[in-house]
Structure formats: structure tokens, C-alpha cells
Amino acid sequence: MKVGIITDSNSGLTVERSKELGIHILPMPFMIDGKLYYEGVDLSLEKFLALQAEGADITTSQPSPKEVTKLWDDLLKEYDQLVHIPMSSGLSSSCQTAAMLAQDYEGKVFVVNNQRISVTQLQSAVDAKMLADKGKTGEEIKEILEASKFDSIIYVTVDTLTYLKKGGRVTPAAAALGSLLKLKPVLVIAGERLDAFAKGRTMKQAKSIMINAIRKEVEEKYNDPQCQDTYLEAAYSSSKEVAEEWVEELKREFPGVPIEADPLALSIVCHIGPGAVAVACTRKIKVD
């Protein structure tokens, strides 16, 4: 049984890295000033941030059913089964759409609803590829991933409240007060929700809040203070230099733990803007 793995670009997976990992990407569409762009195809993080800074009218969308089924049909010429891992069903309707379309592919396409996004979604795709390489079927992979859907969490801090205000996630009054006080909110993504977690007075304090929150997560929830059975992941909507500094800070706090940084999904950046950094933890999947 040959099983192919697909995720969408909400995972932050780049075209270059997808080739290295052997994972297929479904690019997410964005309408910007009336023009259609596809994440990772003709829309990079840098280009997106530049357009966002110019005040472009940006709306998120989802791939058309035809785009989804064309990708599946093409890949089913090479694979016996496909495992499709979209972003969390609580954050987009693309998961429900894929699940509905998969009904016509009974026994061939398995859509995973494990409520992940960004680096945790990417980790799910990597785990799925590992499971496929171990000989698991599409149905088995779907069951394993969905059984571990609550074994991840993301903390993210933003540099500006402008885009949270634009998206209605904070009121104009709260945004004005927060900007005046130079507050750096810390948000948490767990399961299907993006929620407020805490507020820092500086970016340094906000980072410290996130580090302490992740440490508590791995120590108390996962009972894994040395992160032997936990992945730590970093993400960003800032410059690569800022991202590298963030990774080095995390490595000092969690010595010996391998940590890499990936761009935040543009669907998140759309709502939080530039200058954000994030840290996530995901429990490792163990298989026989």
C-alpha cells in the first residue's frame, strides 16, 4: 500500500522543504486588491508583509473543490491512498469541504481533522509521512493523528495591535489603549480556538511569558521536562534575523532540544501582522 501525504500551505511548509520531506502541498488562495494569489506559489511571507504594510485589501479564501479534487486525482495515479491534513476545522471551512469531497473517494482519501495549524500542522504532516513509511494505511494514519489532536499548543506574541483590531479580535478602544501602553499581547492556539492568553509590557516580557507557558506545558501536561518525547517549534512573521535570535533564545532556555523556525501561515499573519514570534510544543507520536 503506497500512501501519499498532503497538507495545505497553512502549515507553513515551503515548496523547497516539501520536496525534501516528500509531502505534497495544496496552496491556499488570497484575494489582495482584487487579484488572486496562492501562498508559496506567487505569494511569499515577505511579499505578503509588504502588501499588508501598504494597506492592501486582503481576504483569505479556500481552494475550490475543483482544485482539491484535481490534486487528489493526479496523486492517485501514483498512490493507492492519500492522507489530507488541512488546517483546524475551527479556523477554516476548508477541512469540512475536503471531508465532504472525500466521500466520493471512499477508501482512497482520508481527511484528518486534528485541529492543527502552522508548525503543529506541519508536524502532523511529518508524522503522517513517518507513519506511511512504516506501512500504516491511510485509515490508520487518520486515526492516530486524530487521537493526538489535543497534544499540541502554540503561543504567539504580536508586535502591533493594528491587525487584531482590523479583524475585530480586539475593540478599537482596547487597541488604542494597548498601543498607548505599548502592550504586547500573548495569544494561544489550542484545538479550534485563537484566544488571548496574557499581556506583556515589552516584547522581552511577552517572550518570557511564552517560554514559561511552554515550560509549564511540557512539565505538567506532558510530564516531559527534558523534552525527550516532545517537539519544540518556533515560528515567525518577522525578519529571518529576528527569527534566528528567537530560536537561539529558546535553545538557551531548553538546552539540547533541537528547534527550528518556520514562517507563520499567512492565514495567521493576516490577523496578527508583522513582527510576531511564536513557540509551540507537540507530543511525539510513538508507534510500534
Side-chain angles (χ1 to χ4, degrees):
M1 181 71 71
K2 192 176 181 185
V3 181
I5 309 302
I6 307 166
T7 189
D8 59 40
S9 59
N10 287 307
S11 63
L13 182 62
T14 62
V15 172
E16 294 75 22
R17 195 168 175 203
S18 74
K19 292 175 182 176
E20 294 172 15
L21 296 173
I23 297 169
H24 303 277
I25 307 178
L26 180 64
M28 299 302 288
F30 288 79
M31 190 63 72
I32 304 178
D33 287 340
K35 182 180 177 181
L36 184 64
Y37 293 85
Y38 285 90
E39 183 172 8
V41 178
D42 55 1
L43 186 62
S44 64
L45 173 62
E46 292 75 18
K47 184 173 182 178
F48 184 89
L49 291 174
L51 290 166
Q52 196 175 47
E54 292 169 5
D57 179 29
I58 301 174
T59 55
T60 58
S61 186
Q62 62 172 305
S64 69
K66 186 176 180 180
E67 288 171 321
V68 177
T69 55
K70 184 181 185 308
L71 176 61
W72 291 352
D73 291 341
D74 289 344
L75 290 176
L76 283 170
K77 296 173 185 175
E78 178 183 354
Y79 298 97
D80 301 303
Q81 293 182 334
L82 301 173
V83 174
H84 184 96
I85 308 169
M87 71 184 287
S88 171
S89 60
L91 300 170
S92 169
S93 58
S94 58
C95 184
Q96 291 94 325
T97 300
M100 180 187 68
L101 294 172
Q103 292 175 7
D104 292 333
Y105 291 77
E106 187 175 351
K108 291 186 177 182
V109 177
F110 298 88
V111 177
V112 175
N113 183 13
N114 67 337
Q115 299 175 354
R116 303 282 181 89
I117 191 172
S118 191
V119 287
T120 60
Q121 181 184 348
L122 174 55
Q123 187 59 57
S124 285
V126 172
D127 289 341
K129 183 67 170 64
M130 176 268 293
L131 292 167
D133 290 344
K134 288 182 178 292
K136 299 293 184 183
T137 66
E139 185 175 15
E140 289 171 331
I141 294 169
K142 172 181 166 72
E143 289 175 357
I144 292 169
L145 294 184
E146 290 185 347
S148 63
K149 65 183 178 182
F150 295 120
D151 290 344
S152 72
I153 195 165
I154 303 174
Y155 294 96
V156 56
T157 187
V158 302
D159 189 47
T160 172
L161 293 168
T162 301
Y163 300 95
L164 288 172
K165 181 183 77 173
K166 253 186 183 180
R169 294 189 179 272
V170 296
T171 65
L177 181 60
S179 298
L180 181 65
L181 298 175
K182 297 185 178 178
L183 295 178
K184 305 298 179 186
V186 175
L187 310 174
V188 60
I189 305 173
E192 296 189 341
R193 296 178 61 84
L194 169 65
D195 290 316
F197 179 74
K199 296 184 184 72
R201 297 302 296 268
T202 62
M203 182 59 80
K204 181 179 179 180
Q205 187 182 49
K207 288 180 178 178
S208 179
I209 289 170
M210 292 195 296
I211 288 168
N212 289 334
I214 283 289
R215 181 174 284 114
K216 184 177 180 181
E217 195 80 14
V218 296
E219 289 180 356
E220 296 183 9
K221 183 178 177 181
Y222 297 170
N223 192 27
D224 186 27
Q226 303 304 315
C227 294
Q228 294 179 332
D229 296 314
T230 307
Y231 296 109
L232 292 188
E233 299 129 337
Y236 62 94
S237 68
S238 50
S239 67
K240 289 186 178 178
E241 291 74 22
V242 170
E244 288 167 2
E245 289 173 10
W246 176 226
V247 168
E248 290 307 311
E249 185 174 349
L250 289 171
K251 286 183 175 180
R252 288 193 296 271
E253 294 290 338
F254 300 93
V257 181
I259 304 171
E260 294 183 4
D262 290 288
L264 277 166
L266 297 186
S267 55
I268 296 178
V269 180
C270 188
H271 296 293
I272 64 176
V277 292
V279 60
C281 65
T282 305
R283 196 198 301 267
K284 293 181 181 179
I285 289 177
K286 293 184 179 180
V287 292
D288 298 330

